[in-house]
Amino acid sequence: MAHYPFSERPELLVLTCTHVLEGGDITVVCHHFNDNTWEFTCGAVHSEEEAIVLSVGELCDMDPSLHLVCDLPVGGAATRQNRSHAWQFGRIENEDFYPAAGSRMQ
């Protein structure tokens, strides 16, 4: 890992999906307020069988563009169409949001 941008340790376990593990693009990133967990998924609706736990360091190795979402505040979300598109930032619907980050997010 050449550069690791997240403040969390690289071994932090996060949620992803089988599609990402199979080479699909990460198109949705969420940093949940209620339990401080991270999700990095392809954006599809998933069954429990498609959920995978992986370290954030491994995901950064798979997709170096994740450095652009490393400071996503709790309650925040980032989406994009595919790896070649820019991230769009906002809040997770129906979830609390870290108040100090409000000026940065929609």
Side-chain angles (χ1 to χ4, degrees):
M1 184 178 320
H3 172 68
Y4 179 75
F6 284 79
S7 60
E8 289 87 355
R9 66 191 191 288
E11 301 82 21
L12 176 73
L13 296 178
V14 299
L15 299 174
T16 190
C17 62
T18 56
H19 307 112
V20 168
L21 198 58
E22 294 165 353
D25 288 345
I26 296 171
T27 60
V28 177
V29 176
C30 297
H31 190 183
H32 292 284
F33 186 84
N34 58 345
D35 58 5
N36 199 35
T37 58
W38 287 82
E39 284 184 49
F40 297 81
T41 67
C42 68
V45 176
H46 298 98
S47 67
E48 281 188 35
E49 292 80 28
E50 294 172 312
I52 301 288
V53 177
L54 207 62
S55 76
V56 70
E58 290 173 295
L59 287 175
C60 286
D61 285 342
M62 292 168 58
D63 184 351
S65 72
L66 294 177
H67 76 279
L68 297 168
V69 298
C70 69
D71 62 351
L72 190 67
V74 289
T79 60
R80 62 184 176 180
Q81 290 181 1
N82 58 47
R83 197 178 291 207
S84 65
H85 284 82
W87 289 104
Q88 303 296 311
F89 296 91
R91 296 179 181 196
I92 301 171
E93 261 186 64
N94 302 317
E95 189 165 319
D96 288 331
F97 190 71
Y98 187 66
S103 63
R104 290 186 35 224
M105 307 299 279
Q106 302 170 359

